[in-house]
Amino acid sequence: MSVDESITAWALAARGGDPDAVERFVRALHRDVVRYVAHLSADPQAADDLAQDTFLRALGSLHRFEGRSSARAWLLSIARRAVIDSLRHAAARPRLSDTLDWQMAVELAQPSELPGFDEGIALLDLLEALPDDRREAFVLTQLLGLPYAEAAEVSDCPVGTVRSRVARARATLIDLLTEADAPVAAAA
């Protein structure tokens, strides 16, 4: 039995009231959900809250899950809606800051001595340069490892569109990396 089949089986068992299956289901997908919502929202600080909201929504509607698709695809589509709702809610509210240069304050508050921090920032910057639809397809398939069919289901678009978006995202990322390396090579 594959990992996705096991996760789907746990979701179906959780739907039937098995508390052990609920815990396994949440543990198996928690990291993927956090990574996905962090990339979609472009706000790593809000990722835990969005993941929690996703699981609350999912557990509340688990009785409607029938297992026609994988539980991973079903849950990530819920995560996508949670991020969209969060962005809509945030856009409707004014932002307040008691600091004149609030951007500098936010940058100074970020951790910077963690291993891999610079590479993580570079990856986020590269992903941020991608159009939203391409970034979503790339994150779903390349970072979270979803099959193209499930990524299409989560993104609510045809499989061919997901394949095209991923190919274009890869080409853009390669171009960006090539441009970034060009000044280094010229200086050497």
Side-chain angles (χ1 to χ4, degrees), residues 2 6 35 57 60-61 68 76 102 119 125 136 140 152 156:
S2 74
S6 295
R35 289 173 66 189
R57 290 178 184 207
S61 62
R68 286 181 281 176
L76 291 177
W102 62 270
E119 292 83 2
D125 287 345
E136 179 183 27
L140 285 171
D156 195 28

Side-chain angles (χ1 to χ4, degrees), residues 171-183:
T172 301
L173 291 172
I174 289 169
D175 289 346
L176 291 171
L177 287 170
T178 303
E179 288 173 19
D181 287 343

Side-chain angles (χ1 to χ4, degrees), residues 31-112:
R31 183 173 180 205
D32 286 350
V33 169
V34 171
R35 289 173 66 189
Y36 183 56
V37 297
H39 285 291
L40 279 185
S41 69
D43 183 4
Q45 307 295 339
D48 287 330
D49 291 338
L50 288 167
Q52 183 178 13
D53 183 33
T54 297
F55 281 106
L56 287 173
R57 290 178 184 207
L59 294 175
S61 62
L62 197 56
H63 63 281
R64 291 192 305 255
F65 177 67
E66 297 176 1
R68 286 181 281 176
S69 63
S70 76
R72 180 189 309 262
W74 175 75
L75 186 63
L76 291 177
S77 65
I78 292 172
R80 185 173 194 254
R81 285 191 299 277
V83 170
I84 290 169
D85 290 348
S86 171
L87 293 173
R88 285 184 183 147
H89 179 72
R93 300 187 64 172
R95 298 196 180 220
L96 304 174
S97 175
D98 60 351
T99 306
L100 293 177
D101 189 1
W102 62 270
Q103 286 179 319
M104 179 61 79
V106 168
E107 288 174 13
L108 292 174
Q110 300 300 316
S112 61

Side-chain angles (χ1 to χ4, degrees), residues 140-141 146-162:
L140 285 171
T141 59
L146 245 59
Y148 285 96
E150 289 184 18
E153 186 178 323
V154 169
S155 300
D156 195 28
C157 67
V159 174
T161 302
V162 171

Side-chain angles (χ1 to χ4, degrees), residues 10-11 13-15 17-27 59 62:
W10 293 329
R15 180 183 77 170
D18 181 351
D20 203 31
V22 171
E23 184 177 341
R24 287 181 177 179
F25 170 69
V26 171
R27 283 183 191 258
L59 294 175
L62 197 56

